[in-house]
Amino acid sequence: QYFGREMEDGGHAGLHVDHNLFIKGGDFDGNGLASCANLLGARHFTIADGTFRNGKKVGLQLGDPELPRSVEGGYEIIANNLYFVCKIPGLAGNVGFLTNIGDSHFTDLVVVDYTTGVRDLRWSNRYTRCHVWGGPVRKAGTTEPEYLPNSIAFDLRGDDCVLEDCYADTAMIGYNVCKDARILN
């Protein structure tokens, strides 16, 4: 877990904040025991070229919906070329990519075998060339799919999401649109 606001001098809002930091690369494996990564309070932050495997609850979470905006305070994340995959059974109900941060751009995300591929809870986020699909992992001891029942590829709960060239594949619900959104191509 990374909490950008804790990096401020003395933890007081309005003082020195490191903007424009990044995580490049990495293989984050929750091994079915934990979520893979949680990025809180980040501003003008880039995360790229990483893999998030077997997250118990979440592969990658941006922000915390339990914290008020004045405390969490993250915005403008750039995420690209991220891969989310579950290879083990027993994690049904999890989310590959969850954002509670707005005004961000997400490009070339691939989510495989999480019950919910992308869940957006904020506003004005942009998604380009994101692909969510499921199927290969089976429930332990059966031939039934683990992640497809009750699955949602894109769960859009935030205001003004824009999806361009995104692909929902084999989920029970492709696009669960709860507020204003634009889905192009």
Side-chain angles (χ1 to χ4, degrees):
Q1 177 170 302
Y2 172 84
F3 197 163
R5 289 183 61 101
E6 288 180 352
M7 303 303 288
E8 298 174 6
D9 292 339
H12 301 288
L15 297 177
H16 177 266
V17 178
D18 284 329
H19 289 81
N20 207 30
L21 297 178
F22 62 91
I23 297 172
K24 181 158 176 58
D27 191 334
F28 303 87
D29 193 341
N31 201 28
L33 303 172
S35 293
C36 300
N38 190 356
L39 182 64
L40 300 157
R43 300 170 181 176
H44 309 285
F45 196 97
T46 299
I47 185 165
D49 305 325
T51 300
F52 300 86
R53 299 177 194 275
N54 307 310
K56 182 176 182 177
K57 185 176 177 185
V58 178
L60 172 61
Q61 179 172 323
L62 303 177
D64 186 343
E66 302 294 320
L67 294 175
R69 177 94 176 117
S70 61
V71 172
E72 201 288 318
Y75 53 82
E76 293 178 348
I77 305 298
I78 303 298
N80 58 58
N81 193 33
L82 301 180
Y83 182 61
F84 303 83
V85 63
C86 280
K87 295 275 189 178
I88 60 176
L91 305 175
N94 59 6
V95 177
F97 179 75
L98 169 65
T99 184
N100 191 53
I101 291 177
D103 298 330
S104 298
H105 303 271
F106 309 118
T107 306
D108 298 316
L109 308 181
V110 176
V111 184
V112 182
D113 265 345
Y114 276 86
T115 301
T116 300
V118 172
R119 177 169 286 150
D120 187 299
L121 302 175
R122 275 299 174 197
W123 52 77
S124 300
N125 287 318
R126 306 295 183 255
Y127 297 86
T128 305
R129 294 185 311 272
C130 299
H131 183 190
V132 178
W133 62 279
V137 175
R138 304 289 177 221
K139 288 182 186 177
T142 75
T143 59
E144 299 297 314
E146 170 80 16
Y147 298 101
L148 290 183
N150 304 311
S151 61
I152 302 172
F154 294 91
D155 190 18
L156 307 177
R157 297 172 184 263
D159 289 310
D160 193 32
C161 287
V162 176
L163 281 72
E164 186 170 0
D165 298 326
C166 293
Y167 187 42
D169 184 2
T170 64
M172 297 293 291
I173 298 172
Y175 301 90
N176 184 40
V177 181
C178 299
K179 296 196 176 175
D180 290 342
R182 289 172 277 168
I183 301 173
L184 310 168
N185 300 329

